[in-house]
């Protein structure tokens, strides 16, 4: 959220969700989106769970059948039955204990870059589409966030995702230049 602008900058849409979570989704054209906001999924899943924020984990240790997490502030968090790792491969590799069965394999995982541009306009902009897929060699996805159910229609907000090939070409470029180029492409192609 930036001032009056709200963006679903992470999770965008889904095919029909599992039945148990249908109440969290509403149709958006031929897709399903979380409603009233994308963060409803995390809020629902986090019910009755203690959540630690602003806690950087620097090491994972297996103790018997449980996990112990060491944080940067030298605190130990435990016990955990399971962990879910969502960090990029190198960061995940560095977290895993030396005797982890897949520590050496994690570095084989390859990630493809993508730039996400959040564009907001103070007034309602009408588009004949909710989203566009595979728009060009530069833009893979554009979502008109303001057309999603239960979202404010003004100001108008859009999420623009670059293609991974375009992002790879721009990785070392100054970020402000990349933003300007992606915004120009958005305007020209939509």
């Amino acid at each position: 959220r930036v001032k009056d602008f709200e963006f679903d900058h992470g999770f965008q849409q889904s095919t029909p969700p599992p039945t148990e979570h249908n109440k969290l989704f509403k149709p958006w054209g031929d897709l399903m989106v979380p409603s009233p906001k994308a963060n409803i999924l995390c809020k629902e899943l986090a019910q009755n769970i203690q959540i630690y924020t602003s806690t950087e984990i620097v090491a994972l240790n297996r103790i018997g059948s449980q996990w112990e997490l060491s944080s940067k502030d030298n605190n130990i968090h435990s016990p955990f039955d399971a962990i879910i790792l969502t960090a990029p491969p190198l960061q995940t590799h560095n977290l895993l204990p030396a005797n982890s069965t897949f520590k050496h394999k994690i570095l084989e995982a390859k990630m493809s870059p993508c730039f996400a541009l959040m564009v907001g306009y103070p007034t309602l902009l009408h588009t004949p589409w909710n989203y566009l897929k595979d728009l060009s060699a530069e833009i893979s996805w554009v979502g008109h966030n303001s057309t999603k159910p239960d979202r404010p229609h003004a100001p108008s907000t859009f999420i623009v995702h670059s293609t991974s090939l375009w992002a790879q070409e721009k990785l070392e470029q100054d970020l402000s230049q990349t933003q300007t180029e992606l915004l120009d492409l958005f305007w020209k192609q939509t």
Side-chain angles (χ1 to χ4, degrees):
R1 185 178 180 99
V2 179
K3 295 187 181 179
D4 294 329
F5 296 96
E6 291 183 17
F7 299 92
D8 289 346
H9 55 84
F11 179 81
Q12 294 298 323
Q13 80 281 332
S14 175
T15 55
T19 306
E20 66 191 83
H21 296 293
N22 278 352
K23 66 181 179 173
L24 304 177
F25 289 82
K26 288 189 177 175
W28 184 50
D30 60 341
L31 299 174
M32 300 294 287
V33 294
S35 184
K37 298 179 181 181
N39 67 1
I40 190 69
L41 297 172
C42 294
K43 287 179 178 180
E44 181 78 12
L45 293 171
Q47 287 184 11
N48 304 316
I49 297 175
Q50 185 175 6
I51 304 289
Y52 295 89
T53 60
S54 302
T55 304
E56 182 180 346
I57 301 301
V58 295
L60 308 172
N61 299 303
R62 186 84 169 167
I63 299 175
S65 63
Q66 307 244 279
W67 287 94
E68 177 182 271
L69 286 62
S70 301
S71 58
K72 190 174 185 176
D73 58 5
N74 295 318
N75 286 317
I76 301 295
H77 306 273
S78 66
F80 297 98
D81 296 327
I83 55 172
I84 298 172
L85 300 168
T86 61
L90 183 58
Q91 289 171 290
T92 298
H93 176 270
N94 293 340
L95 284 173
L96 292 169
N99 63 351
S100 172
T101 57
F102 65 96
K103 182 177 178 108
H104 66 284
K105 289 187 175 192
I106 197 73
L107 293 178
E108 295 172 12
K110 301 295 180 214
M111 296 184 69
S112 298
C114 172
F115 285 104
L117 181 68
M118 296 180 277
V119 182
Y121 299 96
T123 58
L124 175 61
L125 298 180
H126 295 280
T127 59
W129 45 266
N130 292 333
Y131 66 91
L132 301 170
K133 287 174 47 176
D134 303 321
L135 193 59
S136 66
E138 300 88 11
I139 297 178
S140 66
W141 195 86
V142 176
H144 189 172
N145 205 71
S146 307
T147 64
K148 291 179 179 178
D150 302 324
R151 290 354 185 249
H153 295 296
S156 286
T157 56
F158 297 85
I159 304 293
V160 182
H161 285 180
S162 75
T163 62
S164 58
L165 182 60
W166 189 84
Q168 187 66 48
E169 293 170 1
K170 306 294 179 178
L171 273 180
E172 301 304 322
Q173 179 174 279
D174 178 71
L175 186 56
S176 62
Q177 177 65 31
T178 304
Q179 291 169 335
T180 299
E181 288 178 21
L182 193 53
L183 183 59
D184 288 344
L185 289 164
F186 166 67
W187 270 116
K188 289 175 186 172
Q189 296 178 16
T190 59

